[in-house]
Amino acid sequence: MNPYFRAGALAPLLLGAAACAHAQDAGLHAAFEAAWQRQPAQQAQAARQAELDAKLRAAGALTPAPASVSVSQRTDQIGSKLGQREAEVEFDVPLWLPGQKGRERALARAEGGVYAAAQRLAQWRLAGELRQAYWQARIDADEHALAVQRSASARALAADVARRVKAGELARVDANRATGEEQGAR
């Protein structure tokens, strides 16, 4: 037989198998997306990303913390009435220590990388659990179908053996054995 003809005859089967695998992958992908949307890691992603962005912006700021102004006033009018009054105005502007700004920026970037890696790890774990559950369900369905088929075969065999015992072709022991097999299959 011509090998090209054999390959041509197998092509529809191979295309059908590929289409089935693609449909399963599409179904698994949709299931993964639905499951991922319900994960706490995904639900908190926007807030965590905003926090990381804020840290990066803070690391690039002019000062490490916001400047502050405080005003205080003292007077002696209640006690001695000497007319002493004092007012203080204080400006507080924190400064970056040498190299601190670069380290803060590097730390913020590193935290972003760690967070992204943790998200990918959570996705991979979820995908693995989903695939495991999918294939376990497929195995269970196949085992159930096999058990149903085995039960039907045992029932047919028991009926055939009972008919042959009634006809005198087989011994009663064979009927008992076939009945036991049928019950075991059920």
Side-chain angles (χ1 to χ4, degrees):
M1 179 178 242
N2 186 351
Y4 295 111
F5 177 74
R6 219 177 319 158
L10 290 177
L13 292 175
L14 293 175
L15 288 174
C20 182
H22 179 70
Q24 286 175 353
D25 283 345
L28 281 175
H29 182 70
F32 169 77
E33 288 300 323
W36 179 245
Q37 293 303 319
R38 290 189 303 267
Q39 291 295 311
Q42 168 59 17
Q43 292 173 350
Q45 182 176 8
R48 180 71 172 135
Q49 192 61 48
E51 176 189 352
L52 292 171
D53 291 342
K55 282 185 178 183
L56 196 56
R57 279 193 311 275
L62 188 58
T63 61
S68 64
V69 176
S70 64
V71 178
S72 65
Q73 183 176 5
R74 278 193 300 195
T75 181
D76 67 347
Q77 286 184 348
I78 292 178
S80 66
K81 297 189 187 215
L82 295 175
Q84 292 181 352
R85 288 186 185 173
E86 185 177 307
E88 288 183 10
V89 177
E90 183 179 313
F91 295 103
D92 184 23
V93 180
L95 299 175
W96 289 106
L97 295 174
Q100 183 183 10
K101 188 174 184 175
R103 285 191 302 273
E104 288 291 325
R105 192 175 300 138
L107 178 64
R109 286 188 185 129
E111 283 181 4
V114 167
Y115 176 69
Q119 285 290 89
R120 284 192 302 274
L121 177 64
Q123 287 176 337
W124 279 109
R125 282 186 179 160
L126 179 64
E129 290 172 7
L130 185 65
R131 284 213 182 256
Q132 184 69 28
Y134 172 78
W135 286 112
Q136 188 61 49
R138 292 287 304 264
I139 288 169
D140 291 346
D142 288 347
E143 286 177 351
H144 179 263
L146 183 63
V148 167
Q149 184 181 10
R150 182 174 174 237
S151 177
S153 286
R155 194 176 317 110
L157 178 65
D160 185 49
V161 169
R163 184 187 53 80
R164 291 178 73 190
V165 166
K166 196 174 198 179
E169 294 178 14
L170 293 175
R172 183 76 186 141
V173 171
D174 293 329
N176 291 341
R177 189 175 300 145
T179 303
E181 283 292 318
E182 178 188 7
Q183 291 174 353
R186 256 189 275 141

